Amino acid sequence: MSDLMDLYQEVILDHNRNPRNFGELDPADHFAEGYNPLCGDQLKVYIRMDGDRVDQIRFEGSGCAISTASASLMTEVVAGKRLEEVEALYQSFHDLLTGDPSVAAEAGPELGKLAVFEGVREYPVRVKCATLSWHTLQAALQDQGNSVTTE
Ligand code: ZN
């Protein structure tokens, strides 16, 4: 199990050092900013749609390793997905971090790479770092005034 956690940590550190899909997307169909005041994480998420499918997604911002890695992995996982698949992934990811782990493992779609954040559930303060990018994604897709906070 600790080998697995080491692997997870490697993935998170790698995505923090080399965030994927980092930078502005112009023009974008959807955009939102997110802020986690507990940690100081700030993110902007840009989305371009193709029908009901996420065609391209990029992000910018600065924050801790977990928030940056979470946003980076999110963009990889969400690109090419239909909106209802994105919603299902968000629910599963949220359950992984905050819900009953056995329930989270059974329900919902395969989380794939997002499973690297499993260890974060042990650190409630860090859960908001990991979910900030997903809250921001939701706000962008719903165009909710373009600004969200985890508080
Ligand atoms: Zn953070």
Side-chain angles (χ1 to χ4, degrees):
M1 195 63 190
S2 72
D3 286 352
L4 187 62
M5 285 304 165
D6 285 350
L7 174 69
Y8 284 0
Q9 200 157 30
E10 260 313 301
V11 173
I12 290 170
L13 291 175
D14 173 46
H15 276 264
N16 178 51
R17 277 193 301 261
N18 304 299
R20 320 300 199 264
N21 303 303
F22 190 85
E24 193 177 348
L25 182 62
D26 185 27
D29 295 319
H30 298 288
F31 163 77
E33 288 183 80
Y35 179 49
N36 173 17
L38 277 182
C39 182
D41 309 316
Q42 287 181 292
L43 285 178
K44 294 178 183 176
V45 172
Y46 305 90
I47 300 163
R48 199 177 296 160
M49 300 296 295
D50 177 14
D52 72 340
R53 205 174 281 275
V54 175
D55 184 37
Q56 288 191 58
I57 174 167
R58 297 179 69 81
F59 81 102
E60 290 183 309
S62 60
C64 65
I66 290 174
S67 70
T68 301
S70 175
S72 174
L73 279 154
M74 179 186 77
T75 60
E76 283 202 327
V77 169
V78 162
K81 293 279 194 305
R82 291 181 15 248
L83 287 178
E84 60 186 40
E85 295 173 305
V86 172
E87 177 66 26
L89 276 169
Y90 168 72
Q91 289 299 337
S92 291
F93 186 61
H94 206 263
D95 288 348
L96 175 77
L97 291 175
T98 62
D100 180 336
S102 63
V103 173
E106 287 170 24
E110 191 60 49
L111 281 168
K113 296 173 186 171
L114 297 177
V116 299
F117 293 99
E118 189 179 355
V120 173
R121 58 181 293 123
E122 309 293 335
Y123 308 95
V125 172
R126 291 296 182 179
V127 168
K128 290 185 173 173
C129 300
T131 54
L132 175 65
S133 55
W134 288 85
H135 288 302
T136 310
L137 169 71
Q138 291 268 326
L141 289 173
Q142 293 162 17
D143 287 322
Q144 282 174 346
N146 286 343
S147 187
V148 287
T149 163
T150 54
E151 293 305 296

